[in-house]
Amino acid sequence: MTLIKSISGIRGTIGGTPGDALTPIDLVKLTAAYSQWLKENTAAAEGRRLRVVVGRDARISGEMVSDIVEGTLMASGVDVIAIGLASTPTTEMAVTGHGADGGIILTASHNPKQWNALKLLNRQGEFLDAAEGARVLEIAETEAYVFPEIDGIGSVVVRESYDRQHIDAVLALPLVDVEAVRAARFKVVVDAVNSVGGVVMPALLREMGVEVVELNCTPDGRFAHNPEPIPEHLTEIAALVPASGADLGVVVDPDVDRLALVNEDGTMFGEEYTLVAVADYVLSQTPGNTVSNLSSSRALADVTARYGGSYAAAAVGEVNVVTRMRETGAVIGGEGNGGVIYPALHSGRDALVGVALLLTYLAKTGRRKLSELRATYPAYHISKNRIDLVPGTDVDAVLAKMKAKYASERVNDIDGVKIDFPTEWVHLRKSNTEPIIRIYAESRDRAAADALANRIMADIRSLL
C-alpha cells in the first residue's frame, strides 16, 4: 500500500493500514487539516461560514471518498458545494464561479483504479503552492485541528453539476469559433477511459457541431486500459480512428486535464505537441509569451520565437507553471504531457479548451488531416529514463557535480539540473518519494535522444 504527499496533492492506494495508504482515517485527517488551513488563511472568517467545492472523477472509490471528505468538511464547520462527477478543470472553475474559499478535487489523475487522491485548491481555483501544502501536512501530522460544536457544523449548500457553465465558458471565448467548426463537419473519436471525460467532452464537441464516436465513455471508473494517455495504451483508438473515417482522435486522462491527439491515419500526434499546436493558433491571433516546464519539448520555444514572443521555463508542477506564466504575462502555457493552460479561461490545465482551440485552428486553416499540421512543427524526440540509486545516496551532491561538469553549457538549476546544448537538452530530476534520478533527453530523433541520455547516465554512474 502507498501514501504519497507532494506538491500535486496527497495520493495513495485504497485499503490498508492508516498512514501507509489512503484510508478513511487518512482522508479525515487530511480534510480536517485543509479545513483548518483555510480558517487560518481566509481573512473572511468575517462571521460567515467557509465554503469549499468538492468534485471527483469516476473512479470506483470516488463515491466513498467523496462521502468521507464532504462529511469531514461539514464536521469542520465548512459548507460544501458538491458538483459530483467533474473534471479537474471544471472543479477549478467552479471555485471561482461559486465564489468559494477553496476546493478539493478527488482524483488520482492518470494513476490506475486502486489509487485516489485529494488535490487542494485555493480561492482562485489554483493548486496550493509548496509552502501552503507543507502547512496542511503539518496540521494533519500534529492533528492541530478543532471541530466545532453542533451549532457550528456545515451543510451541503449546493449539489449540482458545473459542466454546463464550463462548456459555456469555453464556447464563449473569442478565439473559439463554433460556427467555423460546425461548418467543417469534423468527425472525432473520443476515448475518455470510462471516466468523467466521457460526459463532458462529447457534450462540448456536439455543441460545436462535431460528429462524435464514443469509445470508453461510460463514467463507471472501470478503466478500459491503463489510464495514462501514452501511445502504448492507445492501440484501440489508433485502430478506430481510420476504421471509422474520423478526422482525428481525442484522448483524455480520468480527470481531463491532459489531452492527447490521434492523427487521421491512427498515428500519434505526440502528447508533447498538443500544447505546441494550441499555442501556434493562440499566438497567431494574440502574439505574446509562453511558458512550459523544464521537461517539455523545445518545440514550444521555436513556435513562440516564430511569432516574436519570449519563452520561459518553469519548474515541474502545474502551480509552478502558472506562477511563471503570471510573472511573464504569458498568453498560453502548460506542460508537455498534454496539459494546456489558457489563462483567458482559467489558470489550470484543461483538455476542453485545448480541443476547442485546436478544432477552431483546423477549421480556419481548412485542414482535414491532423498529420499535416503535425508536419509543420520541428521534429523532436524525448527519451525518458531513470537511474535507481542506493538508499541514502546524496542526490543533491551528484546533481551539483553534473552542473559543474557542464558549466560551459546553458544550465538551469531551478528544478534539478537542465543542460541546454545547441541542438538538444537533458533534464535531471531527483524523486521526492524514491531513490532515483529521472533523466529526460530531447534531440532531433530517437537515436540521438537515447545517445544523449546514455552519455549523461554514464556520467552520473561515474560519480556514484
Side-chain angles (χ1 to χ4, degrees), residues 324-348:
R324 193 78 173 110
M325 289 179 69
R326 197 164 280 134
E327 292 170 350
T328 60
V331 296
I332 185 75
E335 298 184 301
N337 60 6
V340 174
I341 302 174
Y342 186 48
L345 181 67
H346 71 111
S347 294

Side-chain angles (χ1 to χ4, degrees), residues 117-363:
L118 282 73
K119 296 188 176 182
L120 309 176
L121 305 175
N122 61 23
R123 66 185 312 163
Q124 286 77 43
E126 299 169 9
F127 292 121
L128 304 192
D129 64 26
E132 292 166 337
R135 175 56 183 153
V136 172
L137 295 179
E138 179 185 21
I139 294 170
E141 287 164 6
T142 59
E143 298 187 1
Y145 37 76
V146 178
F147 297 102
E149 296 181 0
I150 187 62
D151 292 330
I153 65 173
S155 62
V156 176
V157 294
V158 175
R159 190 177 291 283
E160 63 184 16
S161 170
Y162 203 78
D163 286 355
R164 181 73 263 164
Q165 293 94 321
H166 186 179
I167 291 171
D168 286 347
V170 170
L171 297 179
L173 289 168
L175 293 193
V176 173
D177 191 331
V178 176
E179 293 310 312
V181 174
R182 190 181 305 279
R185 302 176 64 85
F186 289 118
K187 184 177 183 179
V188 175
V189 179
V190 175
D191 182 352
V193 73
N194 289 331
S195 191
V196 293
V199 177
V200 71
M201 185 62 78
L204 170 73
L205 292 174
R206 290 184 174 117
E207 291 268 352
M208 300 183 76
V210 174
E211 180 183 350
V212 178
V213 179
E214 295 187 8
L215 174 66
N216 304 321
C217 284
T218 302
D220 59 11
R222 302 186 185 280
F223 303 147
H225 55 77
N226 186 306
E228 186 169 16
I230 55 179
E232 51 264 42
H233 304 152
L234 305 180
T235 55
E236 190 176 8
I237 191 171
L240 184 56
V241 168
S244 62
D247 295 292
L248 65 145
V250 166
V251 185
V252 293
D253 63 339
D255 68 326
V256 203
D257 62 357
R258 291 173 60 177
L259 171 63
L261 302 168
V262 181
N263 295 325
E264 76 288 342
D265 59 2
T267 59
M268 296 295 127
F269 189 77
E271 201 179 21
E272 284 287 334
Y273 285 83
T274 299
L275 173 59
V276 175
V278 174
D280 188 14
Y281 171 54
V282 170
L283 293 171
S284 73
Q285 304 298 308
T286 53
N289 300 330
T290 65
V291 172
S292 64
N293 68 38
L294 286 169
S295 291
S296 299
S297 176
R298 184 179 282 182
L300 179 62
D302 293 347
V303 168
T304 306
R306 187 190 305 166
Y307 292 101
S310 296
Y311 165 81
V316 173
E318 181 176 316
V319 65
N320 297 319
V321 175
V322 168
T323 298
R324 193 78 173 110
M325 289 179 69
R326 197 164 280 134
E327 292 170 350
T328 60
V331 296
I332 185 75
E335 298 184 301
N337 60 6
V340 174
I341 302 174
Y342 186 48
L345 181 67
H346 71 111
S347 294
R349 294 181 301 172
D350 191 331
L352 296 183
V353 76
V355 164
L357 291 169
L358 178 85
L359 290 179
T360 298
Y361 193 26
L362 292 175

Side-chain angles (χ1 to χ4, degrees), residues 353-390:
V353 76
V355 164
L357 291 169
L358 178 85
L359 290 179
T360 298
Y361 193 26
L362 292 175
K364 285 182 172 293
T365 58
R367 282 195 177 93
R368 302 299 303 186
K369 293 187 176 181
L370 191 60
S371 61
E372 293 177 354
L373 178 63
R374 175 64 176 81
T376 66
Y377 301 125
Y380 292 118
H381 180 83
I382 293 182
S383 176
K384 298 182 179 182
N385 306 271
R386 57 183 274 175
I387 289 181
D388 294 289
L389 306 172
V390 176

Side-chain angles (χ1 to χ4, degrees), residues 416-437:
V417 174
K418 183 173 184 179
I419 307 163
D420 266 300
F421 301 98
T423 61
E424 54 191 7
W425 58 260
V426 63
H427 186 201
L428 315 177
R429 295 183 72 233
K430 70 175 183 178
S431 168
N432 292 322
T433 57
E434 50 188 332
I436 65 172
I437 296 177

